[in-house]
Amino acid sequence: MTDLSLLSLAAASLPAGGGAPSHLDPLALFMNADIVVKCVLAALAAASVWGWMIILSFGIRVSVLRRGSDEYEAEFWKARDIDAFQNARSGGKTADLPVAKVVSAALSEWRRSVGGKVDREGARARLAAVMDSVVAQESERLGDRLNFLATVGSVAPFVGLFGTVWGIMNSFFQIGQQQNSSLAVVAPGISEALFATAIGLFAAIPAVIAYNRFSHVVNGFEARLQRFADRFHATLSRELDGM
């Protein structure tokens, strides 16, 4: 067999493209990127990881709160003695429920308001103010970390775009340095630059979806607490009428 035949067989046995990778390798893109693009990618990756931690923890927290609130409210409206009911649940996880905090605040104000001469209208106003304050406070606590998701959703695409612009600028610089405008010179830098935009969108899209969904959940939970507070206020108001 001639040398030419051997070369032909060897060439036929190689993968198409002369051994070039058949798919994008994110790790290789990161390792070959410029230091500025690396910093952008690392920051976006960290923001994405932290955002997913918030998403998962918030989902678990809301599930626990809903289940605990359902059980608490079902038992609360069946109780004959509210003070005894609340004292029996003053410790443990039940006491940390937002609805339980509304009841505790209302009962504390009730005791102060009926301890001496009863001013019915003043007591009603104070009870409503106390419960509204607790409802607002617990709603703020529930949605506290959602601001991070909003920030990631709005800022991450622009951070990724900054990495893209920087990478493309670096590619043009390489063209000037090598005096060569072939695609082989600029393609790696452009790929790394566009990878920054992709990571920015990867971080932003779940954050925006989660923020919109969880904001709706927080608003719904606040409305639920407010309905409970209004109903409890009506119960206490009837007690005041009987004094």
Side-chain angles (χ1 to χ4, degrees), residues 10-235:
S13 65
L14 290 174
S22 59
H23 62 278
L24 288 175
D25 186 352
L27 182 59
L29 288 175
F30 175 80
M31 297 304 297
N32 295 327
D34 180 81
I35 184 61
V36 175
V37 179
K38 281 183 179 179
C39 292
V40 169
L41 292 174
L44 290 173
S48 180
V49 171
W50 185 248
W52 276 107
M53 290 177 62
I54 292 176
I55 291 171
L56 295 176
S57 64
F58 187 88
I60 294 172
R61 184 182 179 189
V62 167
S63 178
V64 171
L65 284 179
R66 281 177 174 169
R67 185 167 57 251
S69 297
D70 289 342
E71 295 174 357
Y72 182 92
E73 290 185 34
E75 296 175 3
F76 177 84
W77 295 118
K78 294 178 182 178
R80 295 179 178 272
D81 188 338
I82 295 177
D83 281 315
F85 172 84
Q86 190 68 6
N87 289 334
R89 289 159 179 79
S90 58
K93 295 181 179 179
T94 303
D96 292 330
L97 290 174
V99 65
K101 293 181 180 179
V102 171
V103 174
S104 295
L107 291 178
S108 297
E109 181 58 39
W110 169 268
R111 296 187 188 98
R112 289 192 292 268
S113 296
V114 301
K117 184 179 179 181
V118 178
D119 177 7
R120 292 183 178 84
E121 293 305 318
R124 289 189 180 96
R126 288 190 295 271
L127 287 168
V130 165
M131 287 191 284
D132 288 346
S133 176
V134 175
V135 168
Q137 180 181 1
E138 292 303 310
S139 299
E140 289 177 359
R141 285 185 57 195
L142 181 60
D144 183 41
R145 293 196 295 173
L146 296 186
N147 289 332
F148 181 80
L149 295 180
T151 302
V152 171
S154 59
V155 174
F158 295 101
V159 175
L161 183 60
F162 169 76
T164 298
V165 171
W166 185 272
I168 292 175
M169 288 170 56
N170 188 51
S171 296
F172 281 114
F173 178 77
Q174 293 300 324
I175 291 175
Q177 288 290 100
Q178 300 182 26
Q179 299 295 319
N180 187 352
S181 60
S182 66
L183 189 61
V185 173
V186 299
I190 292 177
S191 297
E192 297 158 8
L194 294 177
F195 185 53
T197 297
I199 296 298
L201 294 175
F202 178 79
I205 291 173
V208 170
I209 294 174
Y211 176 78
N212 290 335
R213 174 57 185 166
F214 291 159
S215 294
H216 176 73
V217 170
V218 171
N219 291 336
F221 198 80
E222 182 179 9
R224 174 179 178 169
L225 277 179
Q226 191 61 58
R227 288 193 298 271
F228 177 87
D230 291 342
R231 187 177 176 185
F232 188 36
H233 183 271
T235 300

